[in-house]
Amino acid sequence: MEIRDNILHIGGISARDLVDEFKSPLYVYEEDTIRARAGELKNAITFANKEIKFACKANTNLEIMKVLKDEGMGIDAVSPGEIFAALKAGFAPDRILFTTNNVLWEEIEYAVSKNVLANLDSLSQLRMFGERFPCRDVCVRINPNVGAGHHDHVITGGPESKFGINYTEVDDIKDIAEKYRLRMTGIHQHIGSGILEPEMFIKAMDVLLETAKYFDDLSFIDFGGGIGVPYRENEKRIDIAVLGKMISERFASFADRQGGGGHSVSREKDGLKLVIEPGRYLVAESGFLLATVASIKAEKKHRFVGIDTGFNHLVRPAMYGSYHQILHTEKAENPGVKQVIAGNLCESGDTFTRDENGIVDRDLPLFNEGDIVCLCNAGAYGYSMASFYNSRPRPAEVLVKEGSAKLIRRRETYEEIFTGSR
Ligand code: LLP
C-alpha cells in the first residue's frame, strides 16, 4: 500500500479504480506483501530442516493459498473444509496437518482417507484413533500450560484452554501409543494468537521440547503460530529475525542433544524437523477492506460515518474490540477530525472505531458521502470470518500485483445464499 499525492494505492492501483471496477465493499490483497512476509519468515528460521505451514483459517482464498504454496509453505488445517481447500489449492497431502478440536470421528476419517496426518487433541480421541487405525502415524497437540494472545478469546494454552493434552499427561499418551502401536511422528502446540513479545513463545517452546524427549519416533515438532503484526500506527513490529534465531538455536541444540551430539548435520537434513504454523503474520497486512460511505450523521456526541459493510464482513472490532487502521482513500494525509465509522447492520455494536467497551471516536480525515474508506490489516481473519448476516452477500476478493488486479472470488449472490445455486 502506498499513498501518492494523498491518494491510496494498493498494488499500484488507486482504491477508487478498484471500487469502480469491482464494486464495494471489496476485499483487496497485495501479492507482494504476502510474498515479502513469507520470505522474511523463511530467512528468520535459520534451522535448515524446517517447514512453515500456513494456518489457513486466517485466509482460505484458494489463490492466496496458491501464492503461499509457491512460497514453499505447507498447511495447518482445522476442518475437513480446510483440508478440501488445501488439496484444491494443490498442496500435497503430506504437507497438510489436520489439527483437531472437538471433531466428530467422520472428520478424522476424512483426513485419513486423504492421507493427511491427524493432530489429535485429547486422550480419548487418541485411543479411538488407535482402535480404528492401529500402527499408523499420528501427531498429538500438547497444552504446555502456557498461553498468550491479544485477547482472552484467542489464548489457546494454559489451564483455561480447551485445547490439547496437558503436558503432564505424557505417560498416558505413551501408553495409548504403545498399546495400539501408533507411531508418534509429531508433537504440536499452539498457545495463542497475536503475540508480539517472543518470551511466551519461547517459554512454551521449552515445555514442548521437554515433552518431546519422551518420544522416540518424532520426525517433527510443531510450535504453532501466533506471531502478531502491528495493527496500530505506532505499534512496534516483532523482530522476526531475532525470534527466528531464538527458535532455531533452541531447536538446534535440542536436535543435537537428541541426535547424540556430532550427528547434528544429518539430523538437520534427514532428522527432526522444526515446524511453525503462522496464519496472521503471512497475510494480515496484505489485505484491505474497501467500503463506500453511504450516509453521514452529525449527532451531538459523534459524527457517524456510515459505510456499506459491517461486522458481517470484518468482525474483529466487534468481536474482540480490535483496532484496525482506517484510511481515507482520497484525502489520506489530511488532518483528522473526530469521527465514528459505523457499519450497515442492525446492531449498535456494528462500529469499526471501537474497543471492547464500545465506540471510540477516531481522528480521521473528514469523510463525506461517496468517499471510500479503507480498513487496513484485514487480510487475516477478515473474509474467513465473514458471514451473510442481515442477508448481505459477502464481498468480492481481488488480488493485486504490479498494477494489475485479478478477481479471486466473485461477490456472493442472493441465489447462492438462499438456494445454494449460482
Ligand atoms: N495453529 C492453530 C492450531 C491455531 O488455532 C491458530 C489460530 C494458528 C495456528 C494461527 O495463529 P496466528 O498465527 O494466525 O495467530 N480470529 C482471531 C484469531 C484466532 C486464531 C485462532 N487460531 C483474530 O481475528 O484475531
Side-chain angles (χ1 to χ4, degrees):
M1 184 266 285
E2 182 191 20
I3 295 166
R4 255 187 266 149
D5 300 328
N6 226 2
I7 309 258
L8 183 78
H9 291 76
I10 307 173
I13 312 175
S14 78
R16 171 70 64 185
D17 283 350
L18 286 163
V19 166
D20 280 350
E21 185 171 353
F22 299 101
K23 307 288 176 271
S24 164
L26 182 70
Y27 267 101
V28 183
Y29 307 99
E30 277 178 332
E31 185 172 328
D32 289 350
T33 306
I34 302 173
R35 290 191 187 275
R37 293 292 170 264
E40 273 168 21
L41 261 183
K42 283 188 278 186
N43 288 337
I45 307 285
T46 50
F47 190 79
N49 189 11
K50 65 179 167 214
E51 184 178 11
I52 302 173
K53 289 186 185 290
F54 173 47
C56 67
K57 62 176 74 62
N59 192 318
T60 37
N61 187 293
L62 295 184
E63 295 305 312
I64 287 179
M65 292 173 78
K66 283 180 196 165
V67 171
L68 287 164
K69 177 175 165 285
D70 188 50
E71 289 292 330
M73 312 272 132
I75 288 288
D76 178 63
V78 290
S79 67
E82 288 188 356
I83 294 173
F84 180 90
L87 293 171
K88 263 258 176 288
F91 287 88
D94 65 359
R95 301 295 307 276
I96 305 170
L97 180 67
F98 178 37
T99 296
T100 63
N101 179 242
N102 300 335
V103 301
L104 288 178
W105 181 249
E106 291 90 298
E107 300 199 354
I108 294 173
E109 267 178 341
Y110 176 84
V112 171
S113 75
K114 299 289 177 196
N115 294 318
V116 167
L117 185 68
N119 178 18
L120 303 177
D121 94 330
S122 73
L123 290 173
S124 66
Q125 268 190 337
L126 183 61
R127 209 169 286 117
M128 204 187 318
F129 189 90
E131 278 163 13
R132 307 214 187 168
F133 298 120
C135 309
R136 290 251 185 171
D137 288 359
V138 74
C139 173
V140 284
R141 178 172 182 166
I142 302 290
N143 178 350
N145 246 341
V146 177
H150 70 81
H151 188 282
D152 279 355
H153 292 3
V154 301
I155 296 175
T156 51
E160 295 293 316
S161 172
K162 66 174 178 140
F163 298 98
I165 305 170
N166 199 282
Y167 77 100
T168 53
E169 294 176 305
V170 63
D171 287 338
D172 297 316
I173 299 174
K174 283 193 65 129
D175 285 350
I176 297 170
E178 222 161 85
K179 178 165 179 199
Y180 298 105
R181 283 171 293 137
L182 295 170
R183 212 167 74 93
M184 200 61 67
T185 54
I187 54 170
H188 168 279
Q189 74 183 12
H190 170 72
I191 62 164
S193 189
I195 304 167
L196 284 169
E197 304 293 339
E199 289 74 26
M200 290 310 255
F201 197 92
I202 296 297
K203 195 171 163 194
M205 183 172 181
D206 286 344
V207 179
L208 196 61
L209 288 177
E210 270 306 305
T211 311
K213 287 183 186 159
Y214 292 89
F215 298 98
D216 300 327
D217 290 335
L218 290 182
S219 57
F220 71 90
I221 306 180
D222 183 336
F223 299 95
I227 306 167
V229 299
Y231 281 90
R232 289 176 188 270
E233 290 82 336
N234 50 6
E235 210 164 4
K236 217 172 127 219
R237 171 173 288 285
I238 196 164
D239 191 330
I240 201 72
V242 168
L243 177 65
K245 192 159 174 269
M246 281 164 95
I247 292 174
S248 302
E249 283 173 358
R250 264 187 161 64
F251 193 81
S253 78
F254 174 82
D256 263 1
R257 270 183 275 127
Q258 292 303 103
H263 304 299
S264 65
V265 176
S266 65
R267 262 198 99 78
E268 264 214 37
K269 262 209 204 128
D270 317 310
L272 204 54
K273 191 194 281 181
L274 163 59
V275 179
I276 57 166
E277 47 182 47
R280 188 188 316 269
Y281 189 82
L282 290 166
V283 290
E285 293 156 290
S286 74
F288 305 84
L289 176 57
L290 299 178
T292 304
V293 178
S295 147
I296 300 286
K297 201 176 279 177
E299 295 291 327
K300 254 204 201 109
K301 203 163 167 206
H302 304 290
R303 178 182 165 86
F304 287 101
V305 177
I307 59 177
D308 66 344
T309 185
F311 71 65
N312 50 341
H313 298 158
L314 180 63
V315 77
R316 302 190 70 258
M319 189 147 172
Y320 316 111
S322 297
Y323 184 99
H324 281 259
Q325 188 183 4
I326 296 175
L327 294 170
H328 191 308
T329 58
E330 283 155 315
K331 295 178 189 160
E333 289 168 331
N334 279 21
V337 295
K338 291 207 178 323
Q339 296 171 91
V340 169
I341 307 294
N344 57 359
L345 300 180
C346 301
E347 292 205 29
S348 51
D350 186 28
T351 53
F352 289 103
T353 46
R354 56 172 299 121
D355 61 17
E356 268 194 286
N357 303 316
I359 286 176
V360 178
D361 281 297
R362 200 179 297 179
D363 286 322
L364 296 167
L366 193 72
F367 279 106
N368 287 303
E369 285 160 12
D371 288 344
I372 297 167
V373 174
C374 177
L375 295 147
C376 301
N377 295 316
Y381 308 109
Y383 192 100
S384 68
M385 293 180 82
S387 72
F388 54 78
Y389 184 46
N390 277 200
S391 299
R392 293 191 181 279
R394 278 173 282 204
E397 292 179 290
V398 166
L399 186 63
V400 290
K401 187 180 165 62
E402 290 164 7
S404 72
K406 183 166 96 180
L407 183 68
I408 55 172
R409 178 146 38 194
R410 285 181 310 106
R411 189 174 302 283
E412 201 171 29
T413 64
Y414 298 138
E415 284 295 329
E416 278 167 327
I417 295 175
F418 294 107
T419 72
S421 68
R422 288 189 167 183

